[in-house]
Amino acid sequence: VDEAKTIWWGFNNGEIWASRAGEARAHLTFPAAADRPEVSQIYFDRSGAGWVTALDGGLFQLDPRATRLEKVGLPGNQPRIYDVTEDTLERLWVAGSTGLFRKDANGWTLAQVKDPAGTTSVFGSVAATPDGSVWGASDGRGLLRATGSTFEHREWVQADIVARASVYFTRKD
């Protein structure tokens, strides 16, 4: 749901639909597209910008007021994108197949993180907490907690249950 109370839906075929506040029906806003094969999440940050994760299609920025959708260029090779959130400092965090991406005033950076066994982690979920920490869930590898203004403090949380399960975060927004 965006600032104007429009409800947005993304589908496995890449279509994006919207229903404006007070409307009883949704409308096809963006038809399926080859570069956006499967929408997995639509997230609106505090500035009102929308972010669409499209798995193999990458990340897209959605301007709900202008009804415009643009692909975001991320550092490195085209990753698979799973999740997106915003931290208390209004930095955007994206979980992907090549690591965690962060967007701040200086642009996008990629944090490729090795787990305790030395393997570069794939992050399927990411969450920010009020204390400024960012948590990344790496299937079967554990949870990564990162703190610090430049992501410099990292610790792995491992437990038997984490090694046997996929971890997904929930948030109040």
Side-chain angles (χ1 to χ4, degrees):
V1 178
D2 67 19
E3 291 178 327
K5 305 297 182 214
T6 299
I7 300 170
W8 295 83
W9 291 276
F11 292 92
N12 286 346
N13 67 358
E15 291 179 349
I16 298 175
W17 291 66
S19 176
R20 289 178 181 77
E23 289 183 349
R25 296 187 62 183
H27 305 279
L28 178 62
T29 308
F30 299 103
D35 68 339
R36 194 182 59 252
E38 187 174 355
V39 175
S40 60
Q41 182 185 27
I42 300 175
Y43 175 81
F44 290 91
D45 66 23
R46 284 178 233 142
S47 76
W51 302 93
V52 178
T53 62
L55 294 180
D56 291 327
L59 181 68
F60 293 80
Q61 185 171 3
L62 169 64
D63 180 343
R65 292 172 288 284
T67 317
R68 186 175 58 241
L69 190 67
E70 294 181 9
K71 187 166 182 129
V72 174
L74 295 171
N77 294 331
Q78 174 65 46
R80 189 162 214 216
I81 300 296
Y82 301 103
D83 195 14
V84 60
T85 196
E86 184 178 24
D87 69 17
T88 56
L89 298 175
E90 298 184 0
R91 296 176 298 196
L92 202 67
W93 292 87
V94 175
S97 60
T98 57
L100 291 173
F101 295 88
R102 184 184 70 202
K103 181 182 187 293
D104 58 19
N106 297 318
W108 289 97
T109 55
L110 169 61
Q112 290 184 309
V113 182
K114 294 191 183 297
D115 66 20
T119 304
T120 300
S121 292
V122 172
F123 289 94
S125 191
V126 64
T129 56
D131 70 355
S133 297
V134 174
W135 290 82
S138 182
D139 287 350
R141 303 282 184 196
L143 300 173
L144 173 73
R145 179 176 181 256
T147 59
S149 61
T150 59
F151 198 58
E152 69 270 19
H153 305 290
R154 302 174 187 173
E155 68 177 298
W156 280 95
V157 178
Q158 294 182 299
D160 289 343
I161 188 69
V162 174
R164 294 190 310 267
S166 294
V167 176
Y168 300 96
F169 299 108
T170 59
R171 33 185 183 256
K172 290 193 266 184
D173 59 350

